[in-house]
Amino acid sequence: MAKMEVKSSLLDNMIGVGDMVLLEPLNEETFIDNLKKRFDHNEIYTYIGSVVISVNPYRSLPIYSPEKVEDYRNRNFYELSPHIFALSDEAYRSLRDQDKDQCILITGESGAGKTEASKLVMSYVAAVCGKGAEVNEVKEQLLQSNPVLEAFGNAKTVRNDNSSRFGKYMDIEFDFKGDPLGGVISNYLLEKSRVVKQPRGERNFHVFYQLLSGASEELLQKLKLERDFSRYNYLSLDSAKVNGVDDAANFRTVRNAMQIVGFMDHETEAVLEVVAAVLKLGNIEFKPESRMNGLDESKIKDKNELKEICELTSIDQLVLERAFSFRTVEAKQEKVSTTLNVAQAYYARDALAKNLYSRLFSWLVNRINESIKAQTKVRKKVMGVLDIYGFEIFEDNSFEQFIINYCNEKLQQIFIELTLKEEQEEYIREDIEWTHIDYFNNAIICDLIENNTNGILAMLDEECLRPGTVTDDTFLEKLNQVCATHQHFESRMSKCSRFLNDTTLPHSCFRIQHYAGKVLYQVEGFVDKNNDLLYRDLSQAMWKAGHSLIKSLFPEGNPAKVNLKRPPTAGSQFKASVATLMKNLQTKNPNYIRCIKPNDKKAAHIFNESLVCHQIRYLGLLENVRVRRAGYAFRQAYEPCLERYKMLCKQTWPHWKGPARSGVEILFNELEIPMEEYSFGRSKIFIRNPRTLFQLEDLRKQRLEDLATLIQKIYRGWKCRTHFLLMKKSQVVIAAWCRRYAQQKRYQQIKSSALVVQSYIRGWKARKLLRELKHQKRCKEAATTIAAYWHGTQARRELKRLKEEARRKHAVAVIWAYWLGLKVRREYRKFFRANAGKKIYEFTLQRIVQKYFLEMKNKMPSLSPIDKNWPSRPYLFLDSTHKELKRIFHLWRCKKYRDQFTDQQKLVYEEKLEASELFKDKKALYPSSVGQPFQGAYLEINKNPKYKKLKDAIEEKIIIAEVVNKINRANGKSTSRIFLLTNNNLLLADQKSGQIKSEVPLVDVTKVSMSSQNDGFFAVHLKEGSEAASKGDFLFSSEHLIEMATKLYRTTLSQTNQKLNIEISDEFLVQFRQDKVCVKFIQGNQKNGSVPTCKRKNNRLLEVAVP
């Protein structure tokens, strides 16, 4: 029996209401109660139609595992319980399958979890899209851009330990298969004022603390920094350490992420140098000094900090010091220089720090975009993820809160418009009559702020550009004149009489009634923050820096491109950015995530209803629910609707074989639901009131209980019948086995009796036969005994006779033997005296040699070829034998040692042998190279991504890859180059970029020259007239001279069958272009220790001083 597929729904096992559209009754109190009930049961996600509400749990929940990703993959949006993965999957499938560009808008106040929500969206998309080496690399770069931007753009605030202090919009680009190709990041309004000043209980940007905590002592010394936070004025000390945050580990994570994204080492180093310069700017302090004309001038108290900043940034100290003390104003052809007092100097210092960090952040975003942008030019599908600050209402609201709330007004406007548009499109698509929906249109508030004629931003820009005395009070006075009659603008200084006696409205403030509520703005600082002024002297000083990154951050400082036009204000720049963002969002299908912060303590399990109520109001969530419920509160496709409620009608239960719509029509007619409560679309059923849906759910629940009872009844009957049949079958089996046992027992008794009778009869017969056999045996034994006695007597008589005869024969033989011996001794005695000495000598010599070989067997030395031990010879006459035996044994153990070598080891020893023949007793450097193994590939080109282009450009096997110093032909100075030797060519490449500078075929190499001294200089002579010899011969210096010359010699010999000439002389000629230069090696005392130096003496002599 096939396993039945288990289907689920948003309505199954529902805690509270999973979709706020179904909430009944709908008001602010029930809305908050529903959120709290779900939050208490760890259900942090709730829907408003297709909008996801996310409540920050302030702890880790087991709902983001790979198994959860697979659960929500390719599932209907309402099929499972609310989750951010459901919205991510819906957006990704719409982009992949329906070719619709998507955008995901994540909003909420600081600490609500916007950044984590954007990470979850990106991680889900990365998990469900395609696989492959290139795709995985793109996904990894997109994901690793987050740690870099968080380090430089996030900070600890009183509301959030990792608060984004900038707005981020990322466009992720996909191909037609849905695989990521790259991305583009846009940033909005970095809170650069945090660089110089932080509110109490908050920190500066993370990167400052991570650098001081995680950098090595060597790096800190190089950046001229100290690990103590208290040494820097720009770092607040009351919250420098954050519980649960490891700044040192985060610093390592950021550096690793920068490497993955594609930052080169020198770029990372330059970025850290700029960060260090910003930190040290805060330590510059000024003192007043009176001039002769009576004006006050500022002077730097301690120039040591200024000196270190100039060393870091390669800026002339006098130029930067003057920029902090004077300000030059240009008007057409005139220049006026004025001194800065102490307050103005501090303003200039802080303005420079803010601009330097802000521009560095923008450069980082652009640099990341260069790395993650799509490389192909094919048509792309785009998914945008917007992580931007939510609506902010503080005790003191300034310019930053004003433009942040302006951005949220625009987002609310587009949210309402796109939501209504989406509803209207679905009604038209399903052929449902569209009903006009009344809602609050906040366009009037947006117009109050952004109107080009009399909008607040336009008047702020006009006031900033106006000549004369401009202050925040004059700006407020202008607002009072222009906006006094606007219904959403309130000011106590305006002519409107209703606010004259409002004590909640201070004189230096104005109030705007936003869609989320009234916000009181302190006008102080509006003009300065909108101007965002950086003195031109500081811009020009930065442009003059020898630091390439800093110079690129201040292009306006170039004197050749002086632009007297005032730069755009911060407000106008942000307004243009928001307009571009809105235009971009309107071209995409929107998806919304509304993040809510449950409490201000950043603690788990705490739900502050008043705080949540405040956020619900300014996010406009109730307004959103009312828009969704203005027509039909619930809609569902016919197939899942019929599948869920088919058990409520006999005609559709258990299986409906017709069209799904017909089944739903029969079902609703059977249930007698009023016609005005629902409508049939083309593919969906639309239910007007949530009560109708809950009525269906109650009927379904009751019906499921009835079906469960029926199933239990049938099951119990089946179980009882099965038990009875089993008992009946068991009784039959037991009776059969009892009868069988009784018959078997009776048969065994009969069989046992028969065996006893048979055994008695057989025993009687056997005993009778045995008695007869014994009698016959006794008769035979008696005859045998008599015969044996007779035969024994005869044998003893014969034996006695034979012994007597043998005794007589033996006596004769003994006498004859003695006689023969006597005759032989008499005959031999005359020969023995003549040969006795020779025989004794030969016998003695044989015994000595035998003893010698036996002793040598036990005294043999080890089998090591370098073991010089050998036993001493015991006798002088064995000297030649002893030496020959030593030679034979040494040859034998050398052969045994050689047999152990692999092919690679043989090649190494052949190269070492070749080096010995070429350089032994000729080159003083040779003895130090004997113990060093010839590695060849000193640069791991195949593993280092820095040399990827160089590796791709070379198709041959690389024999040598080493960094050498190439001697300049003009002045004798050295330049680092990568020296590559392949089977056919000799190549030189740039060490930093990996670009190939020269390529010389081995057939064009004629000779290698070097000195006999202990140096690494060598010259490679090229064939005259060859293309490679156009610039002349090469002169190099290397720490592995012996190895490089040997490998070059062997490779040339194997490829050209000609031996390469190796010249060893303390003077040799080198061809430099059209001139021949003599390279001469001399002994000299070196200033830099034991390193040889090269110096061009004249046009014909290059002198190398060797220690």
Side-chain angles (χ1 to χ4, degrees), residues 281-296:
L281 274 174
N283 291 351
I284 295 179
E285 296 182 349
F286 302 94
K287 60 183 179 181
E289 186 174 297
S290 298
R291 302 182 68 185
M292 295 182 63
N293 56 8
L295 297 176
D296 284 341

Side-chain angles (χ1 to χ4, degrees), residues 322-540:
R322 176 176 174 77
F324 281 132
S325 302
F326 294 89
R327 179 187 178 188
T328 303
V329 180
E330 297 186 22
K332 295 184 179 179
Q333 302 299 324
E334 297 183 2
K335 290 186 179 180
V336 178
S337 181
T338 60
T339 60
L340 300 179
N341 57 32
V342 173
Q344 291 172 331
Y346 277 116
Y347 173 85
R349 179 201 69 177
D350 292 345
L352 177 60
K354 291 188 290 186
N355 273 271
L356 191 58
Y357 190 83
S358 175
R359 298 183 189 204
L360 172 65
F361 186 78
S362 299
W363 180 87
L364 280 171
V365 173
N366 293 333
R367 178 64 183 82
I368 291 173
N369 285 337
E370 289 179 12
S371 295
I372 66 176
K373 68 181 179 181
Q375 302 299 323
T376 59
K377 296 183 180 180
V378 298
R379 183 179 177 275
K380 310 175 187 70
K381 305 175 183 180
V382 177
M383 177 186 289
V385 179
L386 178 65
D387 173 9
I388 201 161
Y389 13 66
F391 201 87
E392 292 189 350
I393 304 176
F394 299 145
E395 290 185 6
D396 295 326
N397 300 289
S398 187
F399 179 74
E400 291 86 0
Q401 283 69 45
F402 175 73
I403 56 177
I404 285 173
N405 293 343
Y406 159 61
C407 178
N408 278 271
E409 285 285 356
K410 296 293 290 183
L411 288 174
Q412 176 69 8
Q413 185 182 18
I414 196 174
F415 169 66
I416 295 295
E417 289 177 359
L418 292 178
T419 302
L420 289 173
K421 181 181 177 182
E422 183 183 359
E423 284 284 296
Q424 187 174 6
E425 285 179 353
E426 183 171 19
Y427 278 45
I428 294 172
R429 187 169 57 249
E430 293 293 331
D431 200 17
I432 301 294
E433 183 180 354
W434 170 255
T435 306
H436 176 72
I437 300 173
D438 292 327
Y439 65 96
F440 170 68
N441 190 346
N442 67 336
I444 187 173
I445 303 175
C446 295
D447 186 70
L448 169 65
I449 298 173
E450 67 181 3
N451 189 285
N452 292 328
T453 305
N454 52 9
I456 295 177
L457 286 176
M459 286 185 285
L460 181 59
D461 287 349
E462 183 179 333
E463 192 68 13
C464 290
L465 298 175
R466 180 174 64 82
T469 304
V470 177
T471 63
D472 296 321
D473 292 334
T474 61
F475 165 61
L476 181 59
E477 183 179 347
K478 189 162 190 174
L479 285 183
N480 292 331
Q481 293 174 0
V482 179
C483 304
T485 58
H486 198 285
Q487 59 181 336
H488 291 274
F489 179 84
E490 302 174 5
S491 173
R492 196 167 181 181
M493 301 298 292
S494 68
K495 298 176 182 179
C496 187
S497 59
R498 60 193 172 120
F499 302 118
L500 293 177
N501 298 320
D502 188 354
T503 57
T504 63
L505 189 58
H507 291 280
S508 61
C509 299
F510 66 92
R511 188 159 55 202
I512 295 179
Q513 186 174 349
H514 290 280
Y515 77 93
K518 293 183 179 182
V519 182
L520 184 69
Y521 295 104
Q522 299 281 349
V523 76
E524 182 182 355
F526 263 62
V527 173
D528 284 343
K529 292 177 180 178
N530 189 52
N531 267 327
D532 194 20
L533 187 62
L534 179 67
Y535 297 151
R536 183 170 296 145
D537 301 74
L538 290 171
S539 298
Q540 293 177 349

Side-chain angles (χ1 to χ4, degrees), residues 823-1045:
K823 284 179 67 179
V824 170
R825 284 192 295 275
R826 286 177 179 174
E827 190 70 24
Y828 183 71
R829 190 174 291 135
K830 59 185 176 182
F831 299 105
F832 179 75
R833 292 186 182 90
N835 298 315
K838 181 179 179 182
K839 294 290 183 179
I840 293 170
Y841 170 76
E842 289 177 352
F843 177 78
T844 304
L845 186 63
Q846 182 181 2
R847 291 297 297 164
I848 290 173
V849 171
Q850 184 179 12
K851 182 179 179 182
Y852 166 72
F853 279 112
L854 290 175
E855 290 178 352
M856 284 295 292
K857 176 182 178 183
N858 298 325
K859 296 180 181 180
M860 283 296 174
S862 67
L863 294 180
S864 173
I866 61 173
D867 189 355
K868 302 297 184 180
N869 295 326
W870 185 252
S872 59
R873 53 175 170 72
Y875 304 101
L876 183 63
F877 74 92
L878 291 174
D879 185 57
S880 60
T881 303
H882 196 67
K883 292 179 180 179
E884 182 65 17
L885 191 61
K886 178 180 179 182
R887 185 184 69 83
I888 293 172
F889 177 75
H890 181 68
L891 292 176
W892 173 78
R893 68 181 175 183
C894 287
K895 181 181 181 303
K896 294 286 285 185
Y897 184 75
R898 288 195 302 273
D899 290 344
Q900 299 174 1
F901 290 167
T902 62
D903 293 340
Q904 183 68 27
Q905 289 175 321
K906 290 180 180 178
L907 180 61
V908 171
Y909 282 106
E910 287 176 3
E911 290 179 345
K912 285 290 186 179
L913 183 60
E914 194 80 61
S916 174
E917 294 175 354
L918 291 173
F919 303 109
K920 187 176 181 181
D921 299 328
K922 300 176 184 178
K923 178 71 175 174
L925 188 64
Y926 171 73
S928 63
S929 71
V930 173
Q932 299 175 355
F934 288 176
Q935 298 180 15
Y938 291 94
L939 298 179
E940 296 180 342
I941 292 181
N942 293 331
K943 298 180 181 179
N944 195 334
K946 179 179 177 181
Y947 303 119
K948 186 176 185 300
K949 290 184 179 179
L950 181 60
K951 174 193 171 187
D952 296 339
I954 301 174
E955 297 179 355
E956 301 178 85
K957 178 184 176 183
I958 296 176
I959 300 172
I960 290 180
E962 162 69 332
V963 175
V964 300
N965 292 322
K966 178 177 174 294
I967 308 304
N968 192 298
R969 302 176 174 90
N971 51 22
K973 294 184 178 180
S974 61
T975 305
S976 295
R977 288 286 186 268
I978 298 176
F979 184 96
L980 299 171
L981 176 63
T982 66
N983 289 331
N984 296 305
N985 297 290
L986 185 152
L987 301 97
L988 294 177
D990 187 81
Q991 185 183 6
K992 294 182 178 179
S993 64
Q995 181 181 358
I996 297 177
K997 296 291 187 180
S998 302
E999 184 172 357
V1000 181
L1002 290 182
V1003 295
D1004 292 343
V1005 178
T1006 60
K1007 184 172 66 172
V1008 175
S1009 299
M1010 63 189 73
S1011 74
S1012 61
Q1013 301 185 38
N1014 192 17
D1015 64 274
F1017 285 83
F1018 68 100
V1020 177
H1021 302 271
L1022 306 180
K1023 184 186 297 182
E1024 293 185 5
S1026 64
E1027 182 181 352
S1030 59
K1031 294 184 179 180
D1033 301 336
F1034 294 106
L1035 184 60
F1036 301 111
S1037 173
S1038 172
E1039 296 179 356
H1040 305 93
L1041 167 62
I1042 302 300
E1043 177 183 357
M1044 296 176 72

